[in-house]
Amino acid sequence: MVVIGMLLVLAGALSAAYLYTGIGDRTAVVIVARDVSVGSQITVSDVATTQVDAGQGVSLIPGRQLQQVVGRVAAVDLHKGTLLAPSQVTTELSPRPGQQVVPVALKASQLPARGLAPGDQVLVIAAPGQQGQDPAAPGTRDQLTQDTAATVDRVSAPDAEGSVRVDLVVDARVGPAIAKQASTGRLAVVVTSRRPQ
């Protein structure tokens, strides 16, 4: 009985040491407390802290920086319960000086199979008009005449026909031309790079 008692005491001590060590390896990080849409300013109610195992190999925001996150802008859609990474927040509001946000309606057939996401880099292309009309032909002087780089800012949910509205951040000098080209329906986008998710 004495031996059994000593073994039980030893097992308890080992269990306590294991639990203490496990707790010591955990660290506080920032977690999303409720959904935040891309481009929205993060409030104190949107984030919290939680304990996770250290050394996961994932870049996370330490819990001590919680107050620094408040007031920043969501660079992507943030979902409740996910751990917050530095790349998911920004200090810049869109559009910045010298930029404009242009809404473009795209049909399902004009979208990549994976769709578009905020942060994707695209080329905006003026598609030919009826009977192969050149977009730079007379009467289209104010419309888009060359491929133009843009960044996807926001993407709406598909409508009943599968079409979506895509907000593009473009150079202010070409914003009006892209808007006019989009109004004709003769516009396409080509993805040049995707933002890591």
Side-chain angles (χ1 to χ4, degrees), residues 157-170:
D159 61 18
E161 298 177 352
S163 298
V164 301
R165 190 192 72 223
V166 181
D167 290 347
L168 298 174
V169 179
V170 300

Side-chain angles (χ1 to χ4, degrees), residues 27-29 34 44 53 58-59 64 72 90 93 97 101 108 111 117 129 131 136 142 146 155 174 179 190:
T27 184
V29 297
R34 62 182 184 182
V44 68
D53 290 334
V58 179
S59 179
R64 66 179 180 276
R72 294 194 178 185
T90 181
L93 286 171
V101 175
L111 294 169
Q131 298 179 350
D142 295 330
Q146 61 182 4
V155 181
V174 296
V190 175

Side-chain angles (χ1 to χ4, degrees), residues 52-89:
V52 298
D53 290 334
Q56 292 185 341
V58 179
S59 179
L60 301 173
I61 298 178
R64 66 179 180 276
Q65 296 180 10
L66 178 67
Q67 292 304 315
Q68 299 176 28
V69 173
V70 175
R72 294 194 178 185
V73 177
V76 296
D77 286 329
L78 304 178
H79 301 289
K80 180 180 178 179
T82 58
L83 302 178
L84 195 61
S87 61
Q88 294 176 314
V89 297

Side-chain angles (χ1 to χ4, degrees), residues 99-164:
Q99 295 180 330
Q100 293 177 342
V101 175
V102 180
V104 173
L106 296 175
K107 299 177 181 178
S109 60
Q110 296 175 291
L111 294 169
R114 287 176 50 189
L116 295 171
D120 287 352
Q121 302 295 312
V122 300
L123 276 181
V124 181
I125 300 172
Q130 295 181 352
Q131 298 179 350
Q133 177 186 0
D134 188 336
T140 60
R141 177 175 54 84
D142 295 330
Q143 294 181 8
L144 192 64
T145 59
Q146 61 182 4
D147 299 348
T148 304
T151 302
V152 176
D153 186 54
R154 300 190 75 168
V155 181
S156 73
D159 61 18
E161 298 177 352
S163 298
V164 301

